[in-house]
Amino acid sequence: MSDPSPIVGPQRRAELAAGLTRVRSRIADACAAAGRDPAEVALVAVTKTYPASDVLALTGLGVTDVGENRDQEAAGKAAEVAAAGASARWHFVGRLQRNKCRSVVRYADVVQSVDSVRLARALGDAAVAGRDRPLDVLIQVSIDGDPVRGGALPGVADADAGLHPVAEAVAGAAGLRLAGLMAVAPLGWEPERAFARLAEVAGEFRAAHPEAVALSAGMSGDLEIAIGYGATLVRVGSALLGMRSTLR
Ligand SMILES: *Cc1c(COP(=O)(O)O)cnc(C)c1O
């Protein structure tokens, strides 16, 4: 990342502050509507495509958790943020290739997108070799069961992509800590239907893994519905930072 200056101007800072105020009040309203304590729902600011200066402005405004979906971009930004003396909890939320695990374990605190036994093993090995404390892992689940779009498959007996074997692989890996589940509402699904289905999957999952209580669901367009169905992490990009010029 070549960010000319790690400091945003006053106008950008004001934009980000306003975005943060709006998103925080949406979260608070959704919690009130669902009868939930807002302390149960953490905001992950998804900063993909935006510079490290925006991350620094957000951490200056009190944001603690940051999400990225591409290793190269995330590694550079995390280094810039650390060099500026700030700290954030980095969540990797994108498709992860096994050959990127060694890089990701160096800066990420949470990987939200583990969806196969092979990936869990590669990430576990990388974590043991490349960090001194366990890496938090959320298993990304497929809500529509479409294997092409990624996500472990709940209730499917697939040795690599079934939710149960993936959970066992994460739970059994020395370098990983199984923390919960993540999902994205499938294209073309009403978020209501998607998150209702996810809540069912999460309920069954927690019965087997009572410690793994995190549920990452909801983005800029559907965070209220996700909170209504139990999300403990919402991943918000555009509502906070503005519309991205690229579709990702
Ligand atoms: C980009 C992204 C988000 C944030 O999306 P917005 O609609 O901009 O809030 C959340 N989760 C994942 C996995 C993403 O890739």
Side-chain angles (χ1 to χ4, degrees), residues 82-106:
S87 71
R89 201 169 145 76
W90 293 86
H91 296 245
F92 191 84
V93 302
R95 269 259 159 114
L96 179 57
Q97 285 158 345
R98 275 176 287 151
N99 64 4
K100 298 287 165 63
C101 288
R102 282 169 46 154
S103 170
V104 167
V105 299
R106 284 191 216 116

Side-chain angles (χ1 to χ4, degrees), residues 71 96-108 111 114 117-137 169-170 172-177:
D71 170 59
L96 179 57
Q97 285 158 345
R98 275 176 287 151
N99 64 4
K100 298 287 165 63
C101 288
R102 282 169 46 154
S103 170
V104 167
V105 299
R106 284 191 216 116
Y107 59 82
V111 172
V114 171
V117 169
R118 282 187 300 173
L119 178 57
R121 291 197 182 128
L123 194 62
D125 290 347
V128 166
R131 47 190 292 130
D132 51 18
R133 66 209 148 80
L135 178 69
D136 279 357
V137 166
V170 172
L176 309 180
R177 191 182 76 87

Side-chain angles (χ1 to χ4, degrees), residues 46 48 69 93-94 182 184 219-221 235-239 244 248:
V46 179
K48 63 189 181 194
N69 74 338
V93 302
M182 180 272 242
V184 180
M219 321 200 310
S220 291
R235 309 177 307 270
V236 181
S238 52
R244 292 176 296 276
R248 68 174 172 99

